Amino acid sequence: MRDVEQKMIERAAALLQNGEVARVVGWKKGEFYFDPAPAVFETVDELKDFVYNGFCGANLSKYLIKVSKNEGKTAIFMKPCDSYSFNQLVKEHRVDREKIYVIAVECQGKLDIEKIKANGVTAVTNVEENGDKVTVSSLYGETVLDKADVMLGKCLTCKGKTHQAKDEDIILHEMPAPANNRFDEVAKLEAMTEDERFAFWKEQLQKCIRCNACRNVCPACSCLKCVFDNPSSGVAAKANDDRFEEQLFHVIRAFHVSGRCTDCGECSRVCPQNIPLHLLNRKFIKDIDGFYGEYQAGETAEGKTPLTSYKEEDLEVSDVFKGEGK
Amino acid sequence: MQDVTTGNKEFKPNIVAFCCNWCSYAGADLAGSSRLTYPANVKIIRVPCSCRVNPMFVLKAFQQGADGVILCGCHPGDCHYVTGNYYTRRRMALLFSFLNYMGIEKERTRVEWVSAAEGAKFSAVMNDFVKTVTELGENKRLTDLRVKEGK
Ligand code: SF4
Ligand code: SF4
Ligand code: SF4
């Protein structure tokens, strides 16, 4: 991974130096090894803080909405999953493709520091990835862990390692994708009874603290005026009363991104309460695939979404629950 | 809901019916002028097209105490605005399937196509829906999805 990082810094420096781009969006060093943060680099000098390691799970594409409005071209490093979100933003006219230079970067699966800590390792100083193992160095010594045990949830069901948009790439090694089926967990819930499902979701959703992180991070949540901040949405109460959005926040959010959610997994990654939000969005994706034919949001930057199109012979609503034992 | 005026303890569900102006609302009218009945606890909300029903309206109705929500529109192919109900069909298929995935009883939601000439169908649909929801009982789940203890 170090060689990839080195190459990325070189390319970023070259692009900034020859004036091809005005800024580069990437990740910069955090306080610790495991908390790099998304950042915009405008000079070669600033690149001394640039990092690309196993903790760069953050999807950078949403930052383009803002930074690409500035003068000049913006270069951005993208992992395969980020490129889907990027296409979706281009398709929704939130980002102008012409103003972006996409550098597709290698991804070997990103790590979850919480899972490493859960293995009893604290005071982490460094993490080396070697194939399917990771060596975690801490103030107390070295620990070798199975990578599959400490990867981000989204990486365990990675959609694949093919970038859907790029102008050049930095891919120095093979990128094996995990073989897990991302719909298995949804199917498991579907197989439960209504009562069990309700109990499951109630248990999960009552943990929510309405920090709005899941909304703020989501590349599909890019409305200028979010319905949750909009008193003229038509469903807000006359008196100051937010019960509706409080109680139904998750349903509204998930529906708003249905047909547009690329399953980038960011919502679940950022939720401080570990609510499996991806299981909500994935239900919509699974249903769309099943009812209207397979559709992957963000695969291209053109075309209609399943909810802005129809077929005359579409499934009737009364047939939704037929023969599926739901 | 208890009927305080009669002291009748029999459960009467609150039903919200979104009816498209051009077909189903006219169908309801025809049912009335044909002296066909439908239960008084069905509250009709007239909308220009079934497609006008933002999924949030359905959720809001439930959160405000509806026990069942039904959408009625023109038959596919007969939409006054040509294609509105095709979008409704996709939207509601996904929304209702999703609500059921969260544990909401699937019988609480329904979409029916009722034309202006189908007064009898309107009456039959409403009677059947009210009967189904009455058997199901009060909607508690959608009003406290995020509360730990039931109300
Ligand atoms: S989901 Fe796939 S592409 Fe995205 S960070 Fe994880 S492994 Fe990489
Ligand atoms: S990130 Fe988690 S806790 Fe925060 S609003 Fe979303 S679901 Fe709730
Ligand atoms: S809903 Fe979650 S998985 Fe879907 S696009 Fe938004 S952040 Fe990504």
Side-chain angles (χ1 to χ4, degrees):
Chain A
M1 227 56 205
R2 284 279 147 82
D3 47 350
V4 177
E5 181 187 74
Q6 206 41 50
K7 189 93 198 290
M8 287 163 74
I9 295 173
E10 279 166 27
R11 275 306 285 151
L15 286 166
L16 285 172
Q17 208 137 41
N18 67 19
E20 264 183 79
V21 302
R23 66 198 69 80
V24 177
V25 185
W27 298 266
K28 79 168 187 206
K29 250 187 222 110
E31 197 170 340
F32 304 103
Y33 183 80
F34 50 80
D35 67 349
V40 179
F41 302 86
E42 288 179 334
T43 63
V44 176
D45 189 45
E46 286 169 3
L47 289 170
K48 67 180 188 304
D49 287 332
F50 188 101
V51 281
Y52 186 63
N53 62 26
F55 295 99
C56 294
N59 179 344
L60 303 179
S61 58
K62 193 178 184 181
Y63 296 99
L64 289 177
I65 298 176
K66 236 187 192 154
V67 294
S68 70
K69 301 274 183 300
N70 297 331
E71 195 58 36
K73 241 183 161 173
T74 305
I76 181 166
F77 290 107
M78 276 186 201
K79 305 186 293 295
C81 56
D82 306 346
S83 66
Y84 288 85
S85 312
F86 173 70
N87 274 345
Q88 192 62 30
L89 287 164
V90 171
K91 178 170 171 164
E92 293 169 4
H93 308 286
R94 306 294 281 120
V95 171
D96 180 359
R97 181 68 180 87
E98 302 298 309
K99 291 188 72 187
I100 312 296
Y101 189 76
V102 180
I103 308 172
V105 289
E106 173 178 328
C107 176
Q108 300 292 355
K110 298 299 170 198
L111 306 170
D112 185 342
I113 187 64
E114 297 306 325
K115 288 188 183 170
I116 292 179
K117 286 180 181 164
N119 273 282
V121 189
T122 52
V124 177
T125 52
N126 192 20
V127 179
E128 283 300 329
E129 297 168 53
N130 319 301
D132 52 7
K133 300 274 179 210
V134 288
T135 308
V136 186
S137 317
S138 75
L139 293 181
Y140 309 109
E142 257 182 31
T143 318
V144 179
L145 298 169
D146 277 335
K147 190 165 173 185
D149 292 342
V150 293
M151 276 212 276
L152 284 173
K154 66 174 181 177
C155 301
L156 295 171
T157 53
C158 178
K159 285 189 294 291
K161 299 293 179 74
T162 313
H163 291 85
Q164 306 298 317
K166 67 175 175 188
D167 295 314
E168 70 170 67
D169 61 34
I170 300 181
I171 296 171
L172 307 180
H173 314 94
E174 291 267 309
M175 295 188 284
N180 302 327
N181 183 337
R182 61 186 169 128
F183 296 117
D184 283 354
E185 282 174 279
V186 177
K188 224 193 290 171
L189 274 165
E190 285 174 347
M192 293 180 181
T193 64
E194 280 172 355
D195 291 349
E196 288 166 345
R197 281 199 295 268
F198 181 68
F200 172 83
W201 283 116
K202 192 162 161 170
E203 189 66 34
Q204 290 296 335
L205 300 185
Q206 55 95 12
K207 297 189 295 192
C208 174
I209 52 171
R210 270 315 297 285
C211 64
N212 279 341
C214 51
R215 173 195 72 172
N216 293 357
V217 79
C218 175
C221 284
S222 67
C223 298
L224 292 176
K225 190 85 185 163
C226 173
V227 69
F228 295 116
D229 306 327
N230 185 359
S232 52
S233 63
V235 287
K238 284 196 188 93
N240 200 353
D241 160 20
D242 53 11
R243 277 183 314 153
F244 173 61
E245 90 169 53
E246 283 301 324
Q247 286 161 345
L248 295 166
F249 172 74
H250 300 87
V251 185
I252 299 169
R253 191 196 66 83
F255 193 92
H256 269 195
V257 296
S258 64
R260 309 188 298 115
C261 160
T262 63
D263 205 2
C264 73
E266 284 292 87
C267 44
S268 291
R269 183 181 68 86
V270 300
C271 177
Q273 300 294 80
N274 288 320
I275 298 172
L277 295 160
H278 61 284
L279 292 182
L280 295 174
N281 308 300
R282 263 187 209 162
K283 169 62 176 167
F284 278 114
I285 298 176
K286 186 168 182 283
D287 276 351
I288 286 170
D289 285 356
F291 297 170
Y292 312 118
E294 279 200 18
Y295 178 81
Q296 172 60 53
E299 209 160 51
T300 65
E302 281 133 39
K304 292 199 162 181
T305 71
L307 276 154
T308 54
S309 55
Y310 67 87
K311 286 204 188 82
E312 280 176 26
E313 67 277 12
D314 276 343
L315 177 86
E316 284 297 336
V317 182
S318 52
D319 291 334
V320 165
F321 299 108
K322 277 200 187 129
E324 288 184 48
K326 280 192 206 169
Chain B
M1 194 170 63
Q2 246 187 60
D3 192 331
V4 277
T5 48
T6 60
N8 187 351
K9 288 217 170 63
E10 189 198 339
F11 168 64
K12 284 222 180 83
N14 283 318
I15 303 291
V16 173
F18 291 99
C19 293
C20 122
N21 179 48
W22 306 99
C23 292
S24 311
Y25 194 78
D29 221 20
L30 181 62
S33 50
S34 317
R35 310 202 165 238
L36 296 164
T37 56
Y38 65 85
N41 42 344
V42 175
K43 304 287 186 292
I44 295 183
I45 298 177
R46 181 161 64 149
V47 285
C49 175
S50 59
C51 189
R52 173 66 183 92
V53 181
N54 182 328
M56 299 233 292
F57 295 178
V58 175
L59 299 175
K60 182 81 174 177
F62 277 121
Q63 192 261 344
Q64 290 288 309
D67 299 300
V69 174
I70 181 167
L71 263 78
C72 298
C74 314
H75 288 265
D78 292 342
C79 176
H80 184 78
Y81 306 101
V82 190
T83 57
N85 51 7
Y86 288 123
Y87 295 102
T88 309
R89 191 164 60 177
R90 282 202 169 189
R91 235 180 254 163
M92 294 304 151
L94 289 170
L95 178 69
F96 295 172
S97 174
F98 182 79
L99 289 176
N100 185 247
Y101 176 71
M102 302 200 79
I104 311 309
E105 303 91 338
K106 58 179 180 288
E107 294 84 2
R108 290 197 193 280
T109 50
R110 200 182 280 193
V111 171
E112 291 280 353
W113 311 124
V114 179
S115 80
E118 294 177 317
K121 179 172 180 186
F122 183 87
S123 156
V125 160
M126 290 306 161
N127 280 300
D128 181 66
F129 189 52
V130 169
K131 184 165 159 279
T132 307
V133 179
T134 307
E135 282 162 12
L136 211 55
E138 205 184 335
N139 161 40
K140 288 195 179 130
R141 296 191 168 172
L142 257 176
T143 58
D144 72 349
L145 200 50
R146 287 189 46 205
V147 186
K148 181 114 175 157
E149 302 307 324
K151 66 172 178 184

